[in-house]
Amino acid sequence: MHILKLILIGIVLGIANLIPGVSGGTMAAVFGIYDSLIELIGLNVKKIIAMRKFWIPLAIGIASGILIFSKLINRFLELYPLAALWFFMGIIIGSLPFIASQTYKKMQLLGCATGTNVQKDGQTCKPCAFIRYGSAGAVFFAALALMLAMKYANRSQFMHEAQTVLSAALSIKLFICTALAAAAMIIPGISGSFLMVIFGTYNTVIKAVADLNIAILIPVALGAAAGLLGGAAVIRILLKRFPAHTYAAILGLVAGSLAVLYPGLPAHNELILSIVLFVAGSAASYISSRT
C-alpha cells in the first residue's frame, strides 16, 4: 500500500511539473515527502541505496506522470485550462493544515539555550518566544509577498515556438535554463515549468518529451540533474540550520501560490468540472497528509 501511495504521489509530481505555474516542490510539501526528497537528492550513494524503497516507486510515478500524461495534459490544458488549475488549487488548500502543523512543530524545537522557550527555572522565556515567532512570521509574509508579486507576471507573453532540431546554441540554452528551472522546481511555490516559459524553452521541452526527441532531451536531462543537485544542497543546509524558518517560508510560498494559480471563475460546463476537481484535489491531499 505504501509503494502504491508513493507511485501515485510521483504521478502527481510528474504531472505538476508539466504545467506552468504549478510547483513540484509544492506538491512534495503537500504530500509530506519534501524533507525526504531533499535529503535524497545528492551524491551520497549509501543514502541513495538505503532510501531505495522510497525513491524507486516515487521515480516510477514521476516518470509515468511525465511520459504517459504529457500528451494528455497538453490536450486537457487546451480543452479545460481553468479546471486543471482549480484541481491543483484544491490539492494545495487541502495540504495547508498539514504544512502549518509541521511549521508549528519545528517552531517548538527552537528557543533558549535549553532547546525550548523554557528557562532552567521552568519559566517561559517571553523574549525568546517573541523573537522566534516574530522572525518566522516575517519570513512567512516575505515568502507570501513574493508569490503575490509573481501573480502579475504574464505567462502568455513569454510563449515561444517549439524547436525540434538541436544545435550547439540550443544545447547550451537548454542546459542552463533547465538547470535554473530544476533548482527552482524543488522550492515550494516556485514553478520550474513557469521559469521555462519565461526563458522561452517550455514548448521545446514539452514537445520533446511528448515526441521522445532524445537529442533535445539529453541537454535537458543534464541541466535538470545539475540544477537538482545544486538546489537540494542549499535547501538541505537551510533545513538543518533554520528548520522552523525554512518551513515558515514554505508555508508562505505554498499559500501564496494560490494567488498565482487562481485563473478566475470558469464558465458554463467547465465550472462544474472545476468544482468536482477542486473538491477531489482538496480531499485527496488532506487525506494523504494524514496517512
Side-chain angles (χ1 to χ4, degrees):
M1 185 66 181
H2 181 66
I3 292 177
L4 178 60
K5 177 182 176 180
L6 285 173
I7 292 175
L8 292 175
I9 291 174
I11 290 174
V12 174
L13 290 179
I15 293 174
N17 285 308
L18 293 173
I19 302 177
V22 181
S23 166
T26 297
M27 294 300 108
V30 160
F31 292 110
I33 64 168
Y34 188 76
D35 286 19
S36 298
L37 194 60
I38 293 300
E39 190 66 24
L40 173 67
I41 301 174
L43 299 176
N44 190 328
V45 177
K46 290 184 178 180
K47 183 172 293 184
I48 292 174
I49 294 175
M51 297 179 67
R52 63 187 181 278
K53 292 184 179 179
F54 167 75
W55 69 262
I56 290 179
L58 188 68
I60 291 173
I62 292 174
S64 300
I66 292 174
L67 295 175
I68 297 175
F69 292 97
S70 58
K71 291 185 178 180
L72 179 62
I73 290 298
N74 273 342
R75 184 59 177 164
F76 189 81
L77 286 173
E78 290 176 0
L79 296 176
Y80 309 105
L82 303 187
L85 292 177
W86 275 95
F87 172 69
F88 281 99
M89 286 176 60
I91 289 180
I92 291 171
I93 285 180
S95 74
L96 287 178
F98 170 76
I99 300 175
S101 68
Q102 291 298 305
T103 305
Y104 180 74
K105 288 178 181 178
K106 293 183 184 297
M107 291 285 294
Q108 294 299 100
L109 299 177
L110 300 180
C112 299
T114 60
T116 67
N117 66 331
V118 178
Q119 301 179 108
K120 292 181 180 179
D121 59 3
Q123 298 297 315
T124 299
C125 180
K126 292 183 179 180
C128 289
F130 176 79
I131 294 173
R132 181 179 57 181
Y133 286 100
S135 60
V139 170
F140 167 80
F141 284 110
L144 182 65
L146 173 63
M147 297 308 299
L148 293 177
M150 289 182 62
K151 173 67 177 177
Y152 296 98
N154 184 0
R155 288 192 287 259
S156 62
Q157 67 180 340
F158 299 112
M159 299 302 284
H160 293 74
E161 184 178 351
Q163 299 182 56
T164 57
V165 179
L166 188 66
S167 64
L170 181 60
S171 296
I172 295 173
K173 180 180 180 180
L174 287 174
F175 177 86
I176 295 175
C177 293
T178 306
L180 293 173
M185 181 181 67
I186 58 179
I187 301 174
I190 307 297
S191 167
S193 55
F194 175 66
L195 288 184
M196 293 177 71
V197 170
I198 294 176
F199 296 147
T201 59
Y202 177 79
N203 282 348
T204 296
V205 173
I206 199 69
K207 183 171 178 56
V209 172
D211 297 341
L212 289 179
N213 188 331
I214 303 301
I216 295 286
L217 292 177
I218 289 176
V220 170
L222 293 175
L228 286 173
L229 291 173
V234 173
I235 293 177
R236 268 197 303 274
I237 294 173
L238 292 175
L239 284 172
K240 184 177 181 179
R241 298 189 60 182
F242 311 103
H245 294 81
T246 301
Y247 253 81
I250 289 174
L251 180 61
L253 291 170
V254 172
S257 66
L258 289 170
V260 178
L261 291 178
Y262 179 67
L265 291 176
H268 308 301
N269 294 337
E270 193 172 357
L271 176 61
I272 298 176
L273 178 60
S274 298
I275 293 174
V276 171
L277 291 178
F278 176 80
V279 173
S282 300
S285 66
Y286 183 81
I287 294 171
S288 176
S289 67
R290 293 295 183 271
T291 58

